[in-house]
Structure formats: C-alpha cells, structure tokens
Amino acid sequence: MSEPTHLTMADGRLIEAWIEGPADARRTLVFHNGTPSSGLPYGPDLDALGARGIRWVSWSRPGYGDSTRQEGRSVGSVVADARAIFDQLGIERAYVAGWSGGGPHALACAALMPERVIASAVLAGVAPYPAEGLDYLAGMGAENVEEFNAALDGPEALIGFKERNWPIFSRVTGEEIAAAFGDLVDDVDRGSIKAAFAEYLAAAFRGALRPGYWGWYDDDMAFVKPWGFDLGSITGRVHVWQGAHDRMVPFGHGQWLAAHIPGAIPHLLPEHGHLTLVVDSFPRILDELLATPA
C-alpha cells in the first residue's frame, strides 16, 4: 500500500495526501475517493496512470485519517483545500475525478476553480438533494436508505447510525467486506470483491475511520444540504459514468447528473455496478478523460 504525506493548510489544519508518480509529469489526475474512505489509491489505478506518464494526487477529506476535522463543511469547502494543494505541489491545471461520495467534490472543483480543471469525471457520483424530478432513494440498498434518512432527520439520528456502523467498518477485513456491504451490492458488484481489491477497500475504510466517524458524518451532512455551488455554472467538460447495477448510488443519479450538467458526456453502462465500474473500466475512464479537449 502507498504511504501518505502530510500537507498544512493556511488555517493550520493537516491534510493526509497521496502523491504518486514523477513530480515532473506533464499531466496530473486529482482523485476524490468515496464515502467513507481515505485518499488511499488502488494499486492498479496507479499502474494505469504510470503507463500514461501521469501523476496521481489524492487526499483524505477533513475528519478522515490524519486530516484535521473541519466541522460544518460543505461539499464546496473542498475547493479551498484543492487550491492550497495545487499551489503547494506546483500544479497549474489538472484532470479531476471523483468516485461515489467523491463525485460531488470533483464537481465542486469543476464549478468553483474552472481555470485549474482541464476536464472532470464523476464515477457513480451522488446527485444533490433534493434533485428535482429524481426519486432520490429509488433502487438504493437498505443500508444507504437508512443512512440518508438519518442525515435528513438530523445530527442525533445520524450519530446513532454512525455509532452502530463505525465499529463494523473501522475494523473490517478484506474477507469481511462483501458481507459488510450487505444489500448495497448485487451479484455483479459482489463478484468484484475479491483478492487485492477486497483488501484495498478494507484498508481504505480502516484508514479513514481510524480516528472516529466524524469525517463520515460530515460527508453525509454536506450531501443533504446546499453544496455551495450551482451545477449549471460548470463550463468545463464533465464525463458522467454510472452503472445500472449500482445499489449504493442508483442509476437514476447518473442519469440526472448527465441531464443537468451543461456539456456533460454520459457513459451510462447497463452491465456495471458501483464497484465494477472502477475495477473493470478505470483505464477506459482515464483515456476518455485525457482525450477531452481542453
């Protein structure tokens, strides 16, 4: 597994970050991981970037891993950290992608720092709440229905959800991860949870939740309040990837985002789920992103 470094923000907070590949690479991918997760990269994804001469940059959002909590943050709050990290690493412009709960954070970068984002990709990313015309919970696994409803009910309900689930995911092993997902995966996604990928998922959960559940809590609260930007303001190209077998973020979310982001490039794939989309298609996702005209 890759080892993180630690960056200091202007307000003194620490950010746990992963920087992989040559510092003089001409292109950089900034990747926002899901919820809950640290910024830990998946080895085969690094291999795909290395073969294309691209540097990888990711970080644990505030409250996860060693990243200092930022209580009350919004989705759009990620942009201040992104700008600081770009500046510290000497990144003028980069490609930006986000998977699952990282999707909204990639969109925030596309909307609020367009001069520094070449193009972006949302991989099974959640839509804003409420999303007009979208049945938000339709097709979502029981655990995520419970989690979103708890966030909507407020802090007490959401803390209760975290108290019950943090012990499971903060200690989960690769052998246990498929069972821990429960109703959130069907047979398509369950088939991808094996060997190295299962160990990676478990390590990303454990690393994120090591200090507690507050990063996870803050992500959930940020998703159900205003994100801090307007999707309609995005001027750059956004690839929207979604699988029809996704029970974590249902297919309708990808369809909604593709219809409401100006200039979106949809990749709505009936054969994929939430996990297989990234396990099986990351090189394709990467090549489509890199081929997007600046």
Side-chain angles (χ1 to χ4, degrees), residues 150 154-164 213-214 217:
E156 184 177 348
L158 187 57
I159 288 172
F161 176 89
K162 301 309 180 195
E163 292 281 0
R164 294 190 300 275
Y213 53 66
W214 289 111
Y217 172 93

Side-chain angles (χ1 to χ4, degrees), residues 124-162:
V126 68
Y129 184 89
E132 185 177 356
L134 174 65
D135 186 347
Y136 203 85
L137 302 180
M140 192 176 284
E143 292 86 350
N144 274 11
V145 170
E146 180 186 3
E147 183 173 348
F148 270 98
N149 280 326
L152 291 170
D153 287 343
E156 184 177 348
L158 187 57
I159 288 172
F161 176 89
K162 301 309 180 195

Side-chain angles (χ1 to χ4, degrees), residues 124 139 184 186 189 242-251 272-274:
L184 295 175
D186 68 3
D189 266 340
Q242 187 72 42
H245 284 269
D246 196 331
R247 293 186 55 76
M248 298 189 198
V249 179
F251 196 59
H272 274 305
H274 193 83

Side-chain angles (χ1 to χ4, degrees), residues 4-290:
T5 187
H6 296 85
L7 305 174
T8 304
M9 302 295 99
D11 59 3
R13 288 181 297 109
L14 287 181
I15 289 291
E16 175 185 66
W18 281 260
I19 302 137
E20 302 288 345
D24 60 352
R26 296 183 61 187
R27 296 181 293 182
T28 298
L29 175 70
V30 172
F31 196 87
H32 298 273
N33 277 10
T35 300
S37 180
S38 69
L40 181 70
Y42 180 44
D45 292 350
L46 295 181
D47 293 340
L49 265 71
R52 293 160 175 79
I54 301 167
R55 181 167 57 160
W56 167 285
V57 175
S58 61
W59 59 89
S60 300
R61 287 188 292 279
Y64 288 129
D66 293 335
S67 292
T68 310
R69 188 185 179 198
Q70 187 180 25
E71 188 173 355
R73 60 181 166 89
S74 68
V75 171
S77 298
V78 74
V79 172
D81 287 347
R83 286 188 182 278
I85 292 167
F86 274 47
D87 290 345
Q88 289 189 39
L89 300 182
I91 301 170
E92 291 294 331
R93 302 179 75 212
Y95 297 93
V96 176
W99 180 27
S100 190
H105 296 87
L107 291 174
C109 293
L112 299 177
M113 48 185 287
E115 76 284 359
R116 305 191 76 166
V117 176
I118 301 168
S120 56
V122 178
L123 321 179
V126 68
Y129 184 89
E132 185 177 356
L134 174 65
D135 186 347
Y136 203 85
L137 302 180
M140 192 176 284
E143 292 86 350
N144 274 11
V145 170
E146 180 186 3
E147 183 173 348
F148 270 98
N149 280 326
L152 291 170
D153 287 343
E156 184 177 348
L158 187 57
I159 288 172
F161 176 89
K162 301 309 180 195
E163 292 281 0
R164 294 190 300 275
N165 288 277
W166 175 81
I168 299 170
F169 288 97
S170 64
R171 303 183 183 99
V172 72
T173 67
E175 292 180 349
E176 298 166 341
I177 195 73
F181 280 139
D183 192 46
L184 295 175
V185 291
D186 68 3
D187 289 343
V188 170
D189 266 340
R190 195 172 292 108
S192 71
I193 307 172
K194 53 190 176 185
F197 185 57
E199 293 297 332
Y200 162 75
L201 290 172
F205 281 130
R206 293 194 306 267
L209 300 174
R210 182 180 66 254
Y213 53 66
W214 289 111
W216 190 6
Y217 172 93
D218 292 334
D219 264 3
D220 283 354
M221 293 302 287
F223 293 145
V224 299
K225 68 183 183 182
W227 284 3
F229 62 94
D230 179 7
L231 288 177
S233 70
I234 297 175
T235 56
R237 304 310 297 272
V238 180
H239 293 263
V240 177
W241 295 84
Q242 187 72 42
H245 284 269
D246 196 331
R247 293 186 55 76
M248 298 189 198
V249 179
F251 196 59
H253 285 242
Q255 292 175 307
W256 193 95
L257 289 172
H260 288 81
I261 297 172
I265 304 168
H267 307 271
L268 306 176
L269 308 178
E271 71 275 19
H272 274 305
H274 193 83
L275 305 178
T276 64
L277 182 67
V278 173
V279 174
D280 297 340
S281 295
F282 188 79
R284 176 186 171 190
I285 290 167
L286 186 57
D287 287 339
E288 293 277 0
L289 183 60
L290 297 176

